[in-house]
């Protein structure tokens, strides 16, 4: 064999060795990547709080299978398993989120005053079983059933409270419109979690509206009471003023009558008496005569003078 041929054969051997070495390194790299992916999936799935025991078993089997593939020397198998593991958790995470949302809602609702003892017991039982249930489908259905029953009861109770508030004659118009709108949202909500968020809003809003309505009622009734009191006071004042005016008029009339009577009595006394007890002169006219024909038959009597016999006082 000449030197040129030996060199060519040597080069071929070296190249073949390099290719084999490179392929081996590629396989090892994929094995390392798969090992890391297995570790990641294992860690992440253990952080899920609401996985059924069936799903946990399925995941464990998937990870055990991945470990077997890891031992394979096939690059395509390793690459395919890595891709598979990257997607494997998505449906389980979705299940976990759904159960988590329903359990959270159940936890909030079991302390709601509008829920009866039977529904509270169902919700409490679901919460207790949420960390250890075998089949996702049956447990999720149980959650849905309990929450729908609770929703029905809660909607009725809260809506009744809201409708009582809406029916008040003292509710502010803006509050009336707001409560009506929330009730309509609850009726139309097809998502239980969304419906409960509206219910919470309705309960809170109803409580606030009832408080404002009571304040508004107190203010309106106080204003009405004041207006009525003012009206009665004005009426009483008018009646008193009239009574006072009538009393004064009556007293004045009585005083005038008394004065007239006293004056008449005085005149009568002065006229009928035989002594001029006034402080001025008086005319005495002979009986049978009057003021017009008194001439020659009359006399002027000074104060203190006596009425002559047969004469009378001329007033």
């Amino acid at each position: 064999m000449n030197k040129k041929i030996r060199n060519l054969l040597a080069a071929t051997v070296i190249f073949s060795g390099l290719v084999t070495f490179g392929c081996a390194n590629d396989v090892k790299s994929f094995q390392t990547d798969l090992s890391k992916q297995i570790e990641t999936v294992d860690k992440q799935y253990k952080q899920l709080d609401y996985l059924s025991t069936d799903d946990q078993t399925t995941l464990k089997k998937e990870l055990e299978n991945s470990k077997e593939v890891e031992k394979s020397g096939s690059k395509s198998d390793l690459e395919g398993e890595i891709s598979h593991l990257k997607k494997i958790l998505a449906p389980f995470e979705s299940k976990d989120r759904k159960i988590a949302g329903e359990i959270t809602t159940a936890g909030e609702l079991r302390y709601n005053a509008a829920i009866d003892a039977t529904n509270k017991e169902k919700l409490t039982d679901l919460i207790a079983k949420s960390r250890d249930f075998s089949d996702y489908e049956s447990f999720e259905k149980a959650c849905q059933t309990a929450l729908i029953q609770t929703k029905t009861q809660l909607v009725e109770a809260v809506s009744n409270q809201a409708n009582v508030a809406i029916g008040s004659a003292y509710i502010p118009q803006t509050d009336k419109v707001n409560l009506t709108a929330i009730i309509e949202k609850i009726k139309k909500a097809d998502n239980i979690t969304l419906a409960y968020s509206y219910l919470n809003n309705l309960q809170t809003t109803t409580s606030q509206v009832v408080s404002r309505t009571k304040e508004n009622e107190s203010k309106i009734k106080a204003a009405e009471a004041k207006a009525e009191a003012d009206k009665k006071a004005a009426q009483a004042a008018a009646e008193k003023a009239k009574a006072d005016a009538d009393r004064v008029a009556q007293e004045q009339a009585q005083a005038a009558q008394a004065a007239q009577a006293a004056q008449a009595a005085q005149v009568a006394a002065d006229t009928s008496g035989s002594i001029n007890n006034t402080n001025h002169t008086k005319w005495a006219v002979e009986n049978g005569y009057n003021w017009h024909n008194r001439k020659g038959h009359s006399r002027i009597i000074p104060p203190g003078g006596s009425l002559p016999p047969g004469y009378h006082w001329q007033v």
Side-chain angles (χ1 to χ4, degrees):
M1 187 180 297
N2 60 37
K3 184 176 181 181
K4 186 175 183 179
I5 294 174
R6 284 199 304 270
N7 289 340
L8 180 61
L9 289 173
T12 301
V13 171
I14 292 171
F15 177 76
S16 178
L18 289 173
V19 170
T20 303
F21 179 75
C23 289
N25 281 344
D26 284 346
V27 170
K28 187 173 182 180
S29 175
F30 276 106
Q31 286 175 325
T32 301
D33 289 345
L34 179 56
S35 177
K36 290 180 180 179
Q37 191 62 41
I38 292 171
E39 183 180 348
T40 298
V41 171
D42 184 59
K43 183 177 180 181
Q44 290 178 345
Y45 110 77
K46 288 178 179 177
Q47 291 175 348
L48 299 180
D49 294 320
Y50 302 101
L51 276 186
S52 67
T53 53
D54 289 348
D55 286 339
Q56 290 180 49
T57 300
T58 298
L59 273 172
K60 288 176 182 178
K61 286 181 178 179
E62 288 283 356
L63 292 175
E64 288 172 2
N65 181 64
S66 295
K67 290 176 182 178
E68 290 299 319
V69 174
E70 182 185 356
K71 299 174 184 178
S72 168
S74 170
K75 176 182 173 182
S76 60
D77 288 348
L78 291 167
E79 189 173 12
E81 191 65 20
I82 291 171
S83 178
H84 172 65
L85 284 182
K86 286 181 178 179
K87 301 173 184 177
I88 196 172
L89 278 181
F92 298 103
E93 289 172 338
S94 177
K95 290 179 179 180
D96 179 78
R97 283 194 299 271
K98 189 162 188 179
I99 295 295
E102 292 171 348
I103 293 302
T104 299
T105 300
E108 294 172 353
L109 287 174
R110 65 173 169 167
Y111 297 111
N112 195 300
I115 304 302
D116 63 22
T118 300
N119 278 325
K120 285 182 181 179
E121 186 177 345
K122 289 180 181 178
L123 296 175
T124 301
D125 185 57
L126 284 173
I127 294 169
K129 294 178 179 177
S130 64
R131 298 303 179 95
D132 185 21
F133 59 95
S134 60
D135 177 62
Y136 168 81
E137 296 296 336
S138 59
F139 185 75
E140 204 279 330
K141 183 177 180 180
C143 288
Q144 287 281 317
T145 301
L147 291 177
I148 288 172
Q149 290 174 346
T150 306
K151 175 195 170 186
T152 301
Q153 184 179 54
L154 193 56
V155 167
E156 182 179 358
V158 177
S159 295
N160 286 343
Q161 294 171 0
N163 284 324
V164 168
I166 290 172
S168 172
Y170 302 98
I171 184 174
Q173 183 60 27
T174 52
D175 285 336
K176 185 174 182 178
V177 171
N178 191 21
L179 284 178
T180 303
I182 298 173
I183 291 174
E184 286 303 310
K185 286 182 179 179
I186 293 170
K187 290 178 180 178
K188 295 177 181 178
D190 53 2
N191 180 290
I192 292 179
T193 303
L194 181 61
Y196 283 130
S197 71
Y198 289 147
L199 278 169
N200 286 337
N201 185 18
L202 182 62
Q203 277 191 299
T204 302
T205 304
T206 299
S207 178
Q208 294 170 348
V209 169
V210 168
S211 178
R212 283 195 293 269
T213 299
K214 287 181 179 179
E215 291 177 4
N216 196 37
E217 181 179 359
S218 297
K219 289 179 182 178
I220 291 175
K221 286 186 175 180
E224 290 174 346
K226 185 178 184 304
E228 183 65 20
D230 290 345
K231 179 181 177 181
K232 289 182 179 179
Q235 185 177 354
E239 291 174 353
K240 183 177 184 303
K242 184 178 182 302
D244 290 345
D246 291 345
R247 177 177 54 76
V248 170
Q250 185 178 5
E251 289 175 351
Q252 289 176 342
Q254 290 173 346
Q257 289 177 355
Q260 289 176 357
Q263 184 178 9
Q266 182 64 42
V267 169
D270 291 345
T271 301
S272 62
S274 61
I275 304 298
N276 181 7
N277 56 9
T278 67
N279 58 0
H280 56 269
T281 59
K282 295 179 65 174
W283 285 91
V285 179
E286 187 177 351
N287 293 338
Y289 296 89
N290 56 36
W291 179 257
H292 301 290
N293 60 7
R294 73 184 184 280
K295 190 172 182 180
H297 299 279
S298 62
R299 297 179 185 180
I300 296 175
I301 308 300
S306 299
L307 179 68
Y311 284 73
H312 64 273
W313 296 113
Q314 179 63 48
V315 179

